[in-house]
């Protein structure tokens, strides 16, 4: 790579990652099996070498460094999964239907921004787990076109993933690795998220206008909707909601707590504590919670990725990639801003945005070591990765979850049809993000 020396181990590490990416993109094999085989192969192939340390010891350090990411994901799954049993979120969605009187245009707008708000507070995977079944019921009851609403929820779950450090695993990983505070993420990505949300809703209303206009709303059916009927457990709602939102407030204030009180806490500890408190209060059996609520596929997927990509970092490939991008751009931050914001959007459409983001975080860190002022690039990566995840059914984990729920209900999503509608929006949003960041960092 432009004079950067790579070893045989470097090339083997890169080859393994490319094979893993191939199977992730084509979905020929289960993604957990793919990343698990990739991780175990790089260990068995002795790609982790160090003085006095075993290959597996070095490899598992990459999991150890990211235990808080795994803990946060598990904790949020448990906490949100328990609170979801109250029926509160479904009640809010039904209340919105009544408020807009079933008007399909306003209903699409309302559900999209409800998704955005919930994603910012709860993370996008729990959000789509809650809202996708609700959307499918509304589609059936009101005879709505499914694609606009499914793409709308998925798109806003993805772009909302850039809003806060707890909105998406990629944003959390980036913020944790780089040392970005909660409010720092909101202040730098927030306006960008608002801008592309407005562009996205305008695009969806324009592209699907004929399908939405063809819907005949029965006012009597809407009047029969009762938000209160969705509430299943008032006790969970009364205790679980404050517990959930108290955890969110604590995550927002943790930097201030550390500064003024000297008490250091991380997001994983906060949500795991809250989730175990919820299990205790509501007498939930751990075995049942771990079987029905925690998605272990996602956890093992992350673990496999951390090791597979760790082999690249260990053997200098990530550093080489970062230096190559510096050479390609001739050290110009505006050029790198364009390459990362637009490139991340396009690539994240076809490559699961988690491995892509983990790879690029290390690449940007390598650029920083070369002396570049990379601060604007963190926001290009955050926003670009998030908006790009909405471009296809495999772009992000929450997409896979939403499409999987739809498939179980007999609603098949054709990959190319989804791509035809969603990918142009990714390109448009990526250009908007580049423009926003360029003005933010180089004009004002």
């Amino acid at each position: 790579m432009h004079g950067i020396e790579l070893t045989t181990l470097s090339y083997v590490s890169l080859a393994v990652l490319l094979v893993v990416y191939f199977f992730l993109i084509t979905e020929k094999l289960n993604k957990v099996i793919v990343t698990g085989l990739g991780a175990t192969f790089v260990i068995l192939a002795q790609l982790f070498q160090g003085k006095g340390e075993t290959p597996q010891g070095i490899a598992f350090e990459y999991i150890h460094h990211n235990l808080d990411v795994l803990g946060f994901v598990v904790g949020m799954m448990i906490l949100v999964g328990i609170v979801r049993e109250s029926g509160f979120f479904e009640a809010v969605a039904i209340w919105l239907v009544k408020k807009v009187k079933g008007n399909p245009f306003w209903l699409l707008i309302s559900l999209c921004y409800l998704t955005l708000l919930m994603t910012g507070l709860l993370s996008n995977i729990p959000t789509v787990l809650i809202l996708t079944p609700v959307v499918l019921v509304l589609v059936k009851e009101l005879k709505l076109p499914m694609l606009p609403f499914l793409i709308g929820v998925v798109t806003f779950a993805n772009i909302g993933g850039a809003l806060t450090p707890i909105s998406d695993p990629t944003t959390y990983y980036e913020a944790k690795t780089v040392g970005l505070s909660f409010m720092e993420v909101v202040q730098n990505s927030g306006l960008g998220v608002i801008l592309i949300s407005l562009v996205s809703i305008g695009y969806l209303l324009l592209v699907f206008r004929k399908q939405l206009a063809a819907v005949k709303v029965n006012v009597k059916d809407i009047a029969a909707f009762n938000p209160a009927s969705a509430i299943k457990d008032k006790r969970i709602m009364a205790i679980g909601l404050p517990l959930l939102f108290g955890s969110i407030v604590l995550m927002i204030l943790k930097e201030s707590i550390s500064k003024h009180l000297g008490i250091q806490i991380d997001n994983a500890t906060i949500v795991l504590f809250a989730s175990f408190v919820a299990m205790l209060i509501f007498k939930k059996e751990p075995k049942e919670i771990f079987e029905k609520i925690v998605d272990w596929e996602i956890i093992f997927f992350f673990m496999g990725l951390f090791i597979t990509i760790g082999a690249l970092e260990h053997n200098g490939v990530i550093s080489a990639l970062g230096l190559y991008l510096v050479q390609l751009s001739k050290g110009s931050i505006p050029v790198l801003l364009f390459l990362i914001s637009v490139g991340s959007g396009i690539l994240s459409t076809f490559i699961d945005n988690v491995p892509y983001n983990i790879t690029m975080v290390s690449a940007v860190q390598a650029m920083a070591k070369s002396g570049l002022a990379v601060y604007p690039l963190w926001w290009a990566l955050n926003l670009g990765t998030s908006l790009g995840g909405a471009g296809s059914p495999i772009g992000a984990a929450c997409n896979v979850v939403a499409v999987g729920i739809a498939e179980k209900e007999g609603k098949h999503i054709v990959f190319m049809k989804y791509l035809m509608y969603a990918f142009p929006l990714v390109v448009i949003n990526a250009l908007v993000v580049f423009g926003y960041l360029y003005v933010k960092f180089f004009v004002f």
Side-chain angles (χ1 to χ4, degrees), residues 240-258:
L241 278 174
L243 186 62
L244 173 60
F245 290 111
S247 301
I248 294 168
V249 170
L250 199 55
M251 286 187 278
I252 294 172
L253 298 177
K254 68 175 185 178
E255 286 88 7
S256 180
I257 292 172
S258 176

Side-chain angles (χ1 to χ4, degrees), residues 1 10 20 26 31 36 42 45 62 79 110 181 185 239 256 264 268 317 343 348 386 392 396 404 434:
M1 286 188 179
S10 304
V20 168
T26 58
K31 65 181 181 180
V42 297
Y62 286 93
L79 186 55
S110 301
S181 70
V185 174
I239 302 173
S256 180
Q264 295 187 340
V317 178
S348 293
S386 295
S392 77
F434 167 69

Side-chain angles (χ1 to χ4, degrees), residues 21-49:
Y21 271 1
F22 170 78
F23 284 106
L24 289 178
I25 294 168
T26 58
E27 297 183 280
K28 291 181 180 293
L29 293 174
N30 180 280
K31 65 181 181 180
V32 180
I33 295 175
V34 172
T35 55
L37 286 173
T40 51
F41 179 82
V42 297
I43 297 172
L44 291 171
Q46 308 293 288
L47 299 186
F48 292 97
Q49 295 185 1

Side-chain angles (χ1 to χ4, degrees), residues 198-228:
L198 294 172
V199 171
S200 298
I201 203 67
Y203 175 89
L204 293 171
L205 293 175
L206 178 65
V207 170
F208 293 111
R209 64 190 184 282
K210 290 183 179 179
Q211 294 183 41
L212 295 172
V215 175
K216 303 298 181 183
V217 179
N218 189 324
V219 179
K220 291 183 180 180
D221 290 342
I222 304 302
F225 277 52
N226 181 17

Side-chain angles (χ1 to χ4, degrees), residues 118-350:
M118 288 177 61
T119 296
L121 297 175
L122 307 179
S123 183
N124 50 22
I125 293 175
T127 296
V128 297
L129 279 169
I130 293 167
L131 289 183
T132 304
V134 176
V135 167
L136 292 174
V137 170
L138 294 178
V139 165
K140 182 180 179 181
E141 294 293 327
L142 302 179
K143 296 179 173 58
L144 301 168
M146 182 192 66
L147 208 55
F149 289 89
L150 186 70
I151 291 179
V153 167
V154 168
T155 296
F156 276 70
N158 275 279
I159 63 179
L163 191 56
T164 73
I166 63 173
S167 303
D168 183 270
T170 59
T171 307
Y172 180 66
Y173 176 83
E174 183 177 323
K176 186 266 305 186
T177 304
V178 181
L180 305 171
S181 70
F182 193 103
M183 291 310 300
E184 195 175 4
V185 174
V186 174
Q187 290 166 1
N188 284 280
S189 290
L191 182 56
V193 170
I194 293 171
L195 288 173
I196 59 178
S197 76
L198 294 172
V199 171
S200 298
I201 203 67
Y203 175 89
L204 293 171
L205 293 175
L206 178 65
V207 170
F208 293 111
R209 64 190 184 282
K210 290 183 179 179
Q211 294 183 41
L212 295 172
V215 175
K216 303 298 181 183
V217 179
N218 189 324
V219 179
K220 291 183 180 180
D221 290 342
I222 304 302
F225 277 52
N226 181 17
S229 66
I231 302 298
K232 301 171 186 174
D233 193 318
K234 292 183 179 180
R235 183 167 177 265
I236 291 181
M237 186 172 71
I239 302 173
L241 278 174
L243 186 62
L244 173 60
F245 290 111
S247 301
I248 294 168
V249 170
L250 199 55
M251 286 187 278
I252 294 172
L253 298 177
K254 68 175 185 178
E255 286 88 7
S256 180
I257 292 172
S258 176
K259 181 179 178 181
H260 293 98
L261 301 178
I263 300 173
Q264 295 187 340
I265 47 177
D266 61 273
N267 291 350
T269 303
I270 293 168
V271 294
L272 283 171
F273 175 76
S275 65
F276 284 116
V277 168
M279 290 167 65
L280 178 66
I281 292 174
F282 303 119
K283 299 179 180 178
K284 298 293 183 181
E285 287 295 327
K287 183 178 180 181
E288 183 182 356
I289 292 293
F290 294 144
E291 285 180 354
K292 295 183 178 180
I293 292 182
V294 177
D295 189 338
W296 291 107
E297 283 196 21
I298 291 176
I299 303 305
F300 278 92
F301 174 64
F302 274 130
M303 290 169 64
L305 275 178
F306 290 148
I307 293 176
T308 305
I309 294 172
L312 294 180
E313 187 173 337
H314 185 75
N315 291 298
V317 178
I318 300 295
S319 296
L321 174 62
L323 293 176
Y324 173 74
L325 288 173
V326 172
Q327 292 173 355
L328 182 66
S329 64
K330 297 181 180 178
S332 169
I333 293 296
V335 173
L336 284 168
L337 195 71
F338 177 82
L339 290 174
I340 292 177
S341 55
V342 178
S344 296
I346 294 172
L347 289 173
S348 293
T349 295
F350 303 101

Side-chain angles (χ1 to χ4, degrees), residues 11-88:
Y11 287 111
V12 175
S13 302
L14 183 58
V16 173
L17 183 71
L18 292 176
V19 171
V20 168
Y21 271 1
F22 170 78
F23 284 106
L24 289 178
I25 294 168
T26 58
E27 297 183 280
K28 291 181 180 293
L29 293 174
N30 180 280
K31 65 181 181 180
V32 180
I33 295 175
V34 172
T35 55
L37 286 173
T40 51
F41 179 82
V42 297
I43 297 172
L44 291 171
Q46 308 293 288
L47 299 186
F48 292 97
Q49 295 185 1
K51 293 181 179 179
E53 295 185 69
T54 62
Q56 59 267 29
I58 298 173
F60 280 97
E61 276 298 309
Y62 286 93
I63 293 178
H64 178 260
H65 292 326
N66 294 290
L67 277 177
D68 55 341
V69 176
L70 301 177
F72 170 73
V73 173
V74 171
M76 284 300 288
M77 284 179 180
I78 295 173
L79 186 55
V80 175
I82 292 174
V83 175
R84 178 190 176 189
E85 293 178 9
S86 69
F88 171 78

